[in-house]
Amino acid sequence: MQPPPGYPQNPQPSGPPNRGPQQHPQGPQGYQQGPPQGYQQGYQQGPPPYGMSPPPYYPPQKRGMPGWAIALIVCGVLFVVMVMGLAAIPLIVSNDRDARRAEGEQLMGSARDYLRVEYSKTGDADSTLRSFRSGQEFQGIYYQVDPTATRSANPGFDATVTCSPRKSQSDGRGSIDFRWNDGSSTITWK
C-alpha cells in the first residue's frame, strides 16, 4: 500500500513508538529534545507559565482586642474607682463620730451586763450600785464608763450607766438605762 501524496515514503510503525534500541535516532517527527523554546529547565520564580498571577497577600488577622480598646477599658475602670472613692470621703468623715460613739455604747453595754450579774447574786439594787466602781476594764480609746452607776430617772428602767469621751468633748456623753430582770435598755446621747 502506498501512502497518499504528501506523506513520507518511508513506512512508520503503527502503535506506540518503540523505545528500545531500534528507536529512530531523532525520535518521532516534530518532537524536539529538551524544554520548549523560551522556557528554562527547573523551577521558575514569578508567575506561572499559564498567565495567572498568584492571589494577593493579606497578613493574618490579629486575635484579641486592639491595644486602644484595652487602654480605654482600663482608663474607664480607674475613673469609676476614683469617682467612687471621692464620693465615699464625706461618708467616712461623717461616720467618725458614730464610730467613736459605737465604742462608748459597747463599753456601757459591758458595764450593764456586769451590773446585772452582780445584782443576780444578791438581789439588792442599792448595794450593787454602791459597789460598782468603773476601772480600766470599761475604758476604751475614745470613751470610758463613768465610775459610778445610779438609779434610773427614766420610768420603766431600774439603773443608769453613763460614759464620757476621752479625746474630743464634741463627741458627746452617752447614757444607758436598763432593767435588772430582762436587760432591755435604751441609749441616749447628749
Side-chain angles (χ1 to χ4, degrees), residues 138-182:
F138 300 115
Q139 181 175 336
I141 296 172
Y142 302 105
Y143 277 93
Q144 66 184 9
V145 172
D146 293 334
T148 59
T150 60
R151 285 200 174 266
S152 178
N154 196 350
F157 294 101
D158 299 320
T160 301
V161 174
T162 58
C163 69
S164 302
R166 295 186 66 198
K167 295 188 176 191
S168 174
Q169 295 300 319
S170 64
D171 288 343
R173 292 176 44 93
S175 66
I176 184 170
D177 293 302
F178 62 94
R179 290 190 190 114
W180 292 118
N181 294 334
D182 60 6

Side-chain angles (χ1 to χ4, degrees), residues 4-22:
Y7 280 94
Q9 297 299 322
N10 295 341
Q12 295 289 327
S14 63
N18 186 2
R19 297 193 189 269
Q22 298 167 348

Side-chain angles (χ1 to χ4, degrees), residues 64-76:
M65 290 195 304
W68 64 267
I70 293 171
L72 186 65
I73 290 170
V74 168
C75 289

Side-chain angles (χ1 to χ4, degrees), residues 10-161:
N10 295 341
Q12 295 289 327
S14 63
N18 186 2
R19 297 193 189 269
Q22 298 167 348
Q23 185 178 12
H24 194 276
Q26 292 181 355
Q29 275 198 356
Y31 177 75
Q32 300 175 352
Q33 296 284 4
Q37 285 286 344
Y39 288 102
Q40 297 176 354
Q41 206 169 9
Y43 176 73
Q44 291 180 316
Q45 288 198 346
Y50 45 83
M52 285 184 63
S53 62
Y57 173 74
Y58 295 108
Q61 292 269 339
K62 292 183 179 180
R63 294 181 184 217
M65 290 195 304
W68 64 267
I70 293 171
L72 186 65
I73 290 170
V74 168
C75 289
V77 168
L78 289 175
F79 178 76
V80 168
V81 168
M82 286 181 5
V83 167
M84 290 176 64
L86 291 174
I89 288 175
L91 296 175
I92 293 169
V93 171
S94 68
N95 288 336
D96 283 351
R97 185 188 74 177
D98 293 337
R100 291 189 295 267
R101 282 186 172 183
E103 180 191 65
E105 291 176 6
Q106 189 268 332
L107 291 170
M108 289 187 297
S110 297
R112 173 200 61 201
D113 295 342
Y114 172 81
L115 284 168
R116 288 188 62 231
V117 168
E118 293 301 316
Y119 174 78
S120 70
K121 293 177 186 175
T122 64
D124 183 12
D126 291 328
S127 66
T128 302
L129 292 173
R130 279 193 305 268
S131 67
F132 178 73
R133 294 290 177 251
S134 172
Q136 288 189 0
E137 63 273 359
F138 300 115
Q139 181 175 336
I141 296 172
Y142 302 105
Y143 277 93
Q144 66 184 9
V145 172
D146 293 334
T148 59
T150 60
R151 285 200 174 266
S152 178
N154 196 350
F157 294 101
D158 299 320
T160 301
V161 174

